[in-house]
Structure formats: structure tokens, C-alpha cells
Amino acid sequence: MKIKVFILIVLMILISGCNYEPERVTVINKNKPEPEVIVDPEPESEPEPEPETEPEPEPEPEPQPEPEPEPDPEPEPVEKKLTLMVYMAADNDLESYALENLNQMEKVCCENMNILILLDRAEGYDETDGNWKDTRLFEVCRDCSESAHIVSKRISCPPLGLSDYENTELDMANHSVLRNFVEFVKKQYPTGKYALIIWGHGTGWRYIAENEVTIESNRAVAIDDKTGSYMRGTDLGKALRGQGLNVIGFDTCFAGVIENIYELKDCSEYITASPGVTPSGGWNYQSLLEKLSQGNFSSQEIAFEMKKNSSVQTTVFKNEKIDELMTAFEAFSKKLADSIKTEELRKSVFNSLLTAKTYKYSQYPCDMYLDIYSMASLYANESDKKISDAAKLLQTAVIEAAISEADTTVPSGVGVHFIPLVSAQITAAAHSVDYIKDPNSLNQSAFIRDNLWWVPTISGNSGSLLDKLFYTAY
């Protein structure tokens, strides 16, 4: 029986052709207690994995605008070291030269300086740059175009009634115009140093001819054709005293005379001026500004750069030494005057002084100025020791006050008014009333007012040198 069951199982396996494992069959012996049939449980099926879901795509970030490039940092402004003011009185036959000088300034890059020009033009001399005829205030700007057109910035000046677009005519001979100009510029353009250039015609000091008609070529400074006026030396002092200027330069004729320098000795540290005639074309302003912008901006250097850029003899005056110069000049004048006791001696001194170096126009009538150092040199070896000693002290005072850059023993020119000339060889019969010392006059210059031993007097008998030479009877 058992064999039959086995064979039956084998056949079933072969017929199925598979490796099916049958369930276990337990044969029950009926004679025995029925055993428990144990059926292997079907293996628990593993839960089917949940289908993978594709992750939702992350939202694309919104495009961010590209950051704007940061601008290059602005360069630090260059510190301004000097404010240079030019008082350009060109309402006359110098108009075209004024425009040329302004164009020269515009050729220079002056980042470390402020340059302000008050320019008054004329009618009938120059028609460039729109042929405007009024007074305008400019802040000088660089012009790389080499054109004759003014590119400088026109600015307003309320104290002068000037705007940057309306035409206004000012009288440059009015000293209040000069004063307000300087005050305004100093307030608006503060710097460590301040310099002023007086530009235009000049005669040192004004004199009136005997018929009281003003001589056209002899009218101090800031000559204004439109108004027919001019500025006296005394008015210059009123305008500039107390303004805190370091240097005053005169691009004019005959400013380097003691009458003018003494009037302005308290107005600045230095004065640069010529004792004689200067060319109409003025200084070389392109070179002047280039040299100034490269320098150390000391007051003395500013003054000497002005001197170097003048084409004629020009002097730098150290104003703290002018009182000493005046004292030495007074002492010399007194000693020489005291020596004149006869008509013969008068003629001798008169003729001697005419041999000194002089400054004058080539057209007549005109003033004649004597060079003070040259005059002293005529008497430095005089047999009269009092006169020779005074002459030597005067020479020393000139050297110290009219300083020379390279060698302080080289004298610079300083003029003093001697007498008007009618022609090349003929002097006037008398001095201008403006040059005769008058205690009752309120308009006389400080030099005439303070001087005792040079200037003539109303009486003609004061004992001064010019009284002795021209008015004293022997």
C-alpha cells in the first residue's frame, strides 16, 4: 500500500513538470487517536509598495535684477590754497589786451586755486566774444579748445548788483566797487591766502596840470572811459585797508613808487609793482598761474612769481620794511636840503639829481620819477660825512624793503616823484597842487601828509628838499 502511494506521488510530479511541493498529508491510523493536521500557513504577502510619486518641481526662483554697478567714488576735492582776484579795468583802449589775458588764464588747470576776475569792457576797441560792453564777474575755468571765446563761469555778485545773465555797467574807478569785490570774493571763496591784481592803466599818483585839466595819460589807476573817472591812490587805500590780503600786484605803469607803496603798506604783506612803464599786453598770465599752482603758496613766492612774469623791471616790496625806508629817505632828504645854502649849491644839487636813473613816459607832459637807490648812490661817497652816511643808510633801506629774490645786495627799483616834465629837457614851473603839502587838504596821500623833508609846501620855505630846489629864494 505504501508503495502505491509513493509511485502515485512520483507520477504526479513528473506529469506536472514542476517543482510543486504538495501539502503535507498525514495518514491517519484509524486505530490510533487522530492526530492534528498541521497545514503550513501561506506566507504573508508583503504589502506592495506604494507607487513612487514624482516630487512636485520646486518653483523656479524669480529672476533677481542684476545689481547696478557701484559708481566710482568721486575724487576728493583738491584743497584750494589761494584765491586770486583780478580787478580788470578795461573800459578803455586796453580792452583787447584784457580779453587776451583772460584767455591765457583759461589755458591753465588750477585745481588748487580760485581765480575771480571782475572785467569791465569798453566800446569801440574789440568786438570778440559777443561784443558785450558791461561789467561782469567770472570764475575762471579751463578752456581746452584754444578759442577766443570766454568759457569761464559768469557769476552773480549781489553786493555789486551783478547777475549772471543781466547786463550791468559799473564804474571801476569807484573805490567802493573794489572794496565790495574783494569782500564778496573772500566770503564766497575762503582759502589760506588771498592775492589781488590791479590791472590796467596807471600813473603812480594823479596830478593835475596848471590849467586844472586832467592829463589823459596821467590818472592814477582804474581809468574808466565811459564815466571819465579814475581811482586815486588814497582811494586804493580806503578800498584795501583791513581786507586781509597777503599780496597786492600791480599790472600797471608807475605803481612801484614810494607815494603809492607807502599808501598801501598796511594793506598786505607784499606788493609787486613796476616803478616805470609796463607793456599794454600785461603779464604772462598762463605762466604765472602754472607756476603758482606748482608752488608752496607762501606770500613771498606769490609776489615773486608776479615779478618773474612781468617783462619789465618790477619790484617786490616787503611792506613791514616800508616805514624804515621812509625814515631813511627823510633823513637823507634833510641832510641834502640842509647843505643847500646858495643858488650855486641849489643848481649843483638840481643838476646832480637829474643824472640819477629816472622813470617817465616818452610822451609829454608827464611826471618824472627819480630812482631812490640811484639818487642815494650819487652821494654815498660825498665828502660831507653826514650826507654820505645818510645816503648809505638809504641804500641799505632800499635793499631791505625792495627785496631781490636771489641776492639781497642787488637793489630793486623804487621811484619818487620829482617834478612834471613839459618836454624832454624842460621841467614844469611848479608841482601839481595835489603834490604840495597842505595841512587843510583832506585828500592828500599819506606820503605827502607824513613827509617833512622831501615834498614842497604852500609857503615854499619849509626847508624841504623840493622847496629848496624849486621855491626858496637865495
Side-chain angles (χ1 to χ4, degrees):
M1 180 69 180
K2 292 182 181 177
I3 294 172
K4 290 180 178 180
V5 171
F6 177 80
I7 293 171
L8 180 61
I9 293 170
V10 170
L11 287 172
M12 291 177 67
I13 294 171
L14 292 173
I15 292 171
S16 64
C18 64
N19 291 327
Y20 175 76
E21 184 179 351
E23 295 181 353
R24 290 181 186 180
V25 178
T26 304
V27 179
I28 302 172
N29 188 349
K30 294 181 177 180
N31 299 319
K32 292 183 180 181
E34 191 173 338
E36 181 179 0
V37 179
I38 300 173
V39 181
D40 290 340
E42 291 184 5
E44 294 183 2
S45 60
E46 294 182 3
E48 294 184 6
E50 294 182 1
E52 294 183 4
T53 58
E54 294 184 4
E56 294 183 5
E58 294 183 3
E60 294 184 6
E62 294 183 3
Q64 297 293 325
E66 293 186 6
E68 294 183 3
E70 294 186 5
D72 293 333
E74 292 187 4
E76 296 251 342
V78 178
E79 182 184 0
K80 304 290 187 180
K81 301 287 188 179
L82 168 67
T83 294
L84 175 64
M85 296 161 270
V86 185
Y87 195 71
M88 198 167 267
D91 194 349
N92 49 56
D93 59 348
L94 296 180
E95 180 190 16
S96 59
Y97 299 109
L99 297 174
E100 284 181 15
N101 286 169
L102 176 50
N103 281 145
Q104 288 175 1
M105 296 181 205
E106 290 181 337
K107 293 179 180 179
V108 184
C109 178
C110 299
E111 293 183 340
N112 51 5
M113 294 188 293
N114 300 310
I115 306 166
L116 285 299
I117 297 178
L118 186 63
L119 172 58
D120 189 23
R121 290 186 63 175
E123 293 185 24
Y125 293 103
D126 195 302
E127 296 183 356
T128 58
D129 199 60
N131 198 27
W132 52 272
K133 301 300 180 186
D134 55 309
T135 309
R136 299 183 181 183
L137 178 58
F138 294 100
E139 180 181 349
V140 174
C141 302
R142 189 177 186 187
D143 178 14
C144 300
S145 68
E146 300 292 327
S147 72
H149 182 70
I150 296 174
V151 302
S152 293
K153 180 181 178 183
R154 185 181 176 187
I155 61 176
S156 299
C157 179
L160 292 175
L162 296 179
S163 75
D164 56 1
Y165 61 91
E166 292 181 337
N167 295 344
T168 304
E169 177 67 28
L170 298 179
D171 181 5
M172 299 282 277
N174 187 333
H175 72 273
S176 65
V177 173
L178 174 57
R179 183 170 192 86
N180 288 337
F181 166 58
V182 174
E183 288 178 346
F184 172 79
V185 171
K186 284 193 64 182
K187 183 177 180 180
Q188 297 297 319
Y189 300 86
T191 50
K193 296 286 183 178
Y194 299 95
L196 169 70
I197 295 174
I198 304 294
W199 188 102
H201 282 303
T203 62
W205 81 283
R206 187 194 64 81
Y207 93 85
I208 298 176
E210 300 312 307
N211 59 2
E212 300 300 316
V213 176
T214 302
I215 292 181
E216 201 60 24
S217 62
N218 243 349
R219 297 183 294 177
V221 297
I223 296 168
D224 194 308
D225 280 358
K226 194 164 293 182
T227 62
S229 55
Y230 52 89
M231 193 184 302
R232 293 170 176 253
T234 51
D235 291 335
L236 270 175
K238 292 175 184 176
L240 302 180
R241 205 164 284 117
Q243 294 277 32
L245 296 172
N246 300 101
V247 181
I248 301 173
F250 284 89
D251 191 358
T252 71
C253 300
F254 300 109
V257 296
I258 195 170
E259 294 90 346
N260 187 56
I261 302 303
Y262 189 78
E263 189 72 42
L264 303 176
K265 64 184 176 66
D266 299 321
C267 297
S268 63
E269 297 176 75
Y270 293 89
I271 294 174
T272 301
S274 172
V277 177
T278 61
S280 300
W283 296 344
N284 184 337
Y285 283 92
Q286 180 177 351
S287 172
L288 172 61
L289 298 189
E290 288 172 346
K291 296 297 184 183
L292 286 177
S293 66
Q294 298 165 7
N296 60 22
F297 295 99
S298 69
S299 299
Q300 181 168 313
E301 183 181 75
I302 295 168
F304 272 109
E305 288 301 339
M306 292 179 181
K307 168 187 169 78
K308 291 176 187 176
N309 286 284
S310 170
S311 61
V312 296
Q313 180 184 8
T314 302
T315 301
V316 173
F317 294 91
K318 192 173 186 178
N319 288 347
E320 65 179 18
K321 294 289 185 179
I322 299 303
D323 281 334
E324 295 176 21
L325 174 59
M326 178 72 154
T327 299
F329 182 68
E330 281 277 79
F332 171 77
S333 299
K334 185 177 188 308
K335 296 301 182 187
L336 191 55
D338 288 346
S339 72
I340 301 174
K341 302 183 184 300
T342 65
E343 177 64 19
E344 184 178 358
L345 289 172
R346 184 199 72 80
K347 289 180 180 180
S348 174
V349 172
F350 181 84
N351 291 331
S352 175
L353 292 177
L354 288 179
T355 66
K357 182 178 180 179
T358 60
Y359 306 105
K360 59 187 178 180
Y361 281 118
S362 58
Q363 297 176 332
Y364 302 94
C366 66
D367 278 337
M368 178 170 70
Y369 297 93
L370 299 182
D371 182 84
I372 293 178
Y373 188 91
S374 175
M375 181 170 60
S377 298
L378 296 173
Y379 294 93
N381 298 314
E382 179 72 18
S383 57
D384 185 329
K385 193 172 184 306
K386 291 180 180 179
I387 295 177
S388 64
D389 286 348
K392 291 173 183 175
L393 288 174
L394 179 55
Q395 287 178 312
T396 300
V398 170
I399 290 171
E400 292 179 350
I403 57 177
S404 175
E405 183 180 28
D407 185 352
T408 56
T409 64
V410 177
S412 294
V414 188
V416 63
H417 179 57
F418 185 55
I419 188 72
L421 288 177
V422 176
S423 67
Q425 304 297 327
I426 302 174
T427 63
H431 291 82
S432 163
V433 293
D434 282 359
Y435 203 77
I436 296 174
K437 189 180 183 72
D438 182 0
N440 297 318
S441 175
L442 301 177
N443 294 320
Q444 290 195 308
S445 71
F447 176 83
I448 296 171
R449 185 183 65 243
D450 295 347
N451 187 278
L452 296 175
W453 301 108
W454 174 262
V455 298
T457 62
I458 292 176
S459 69
N461 293 310
S462 69
S464 71
L465 185 55
L466 293 187
D467 266 353
K468 286 276 190 92
L469 291 175
F470 292 97
Y471 306 110
T472 302
Y474 296 95

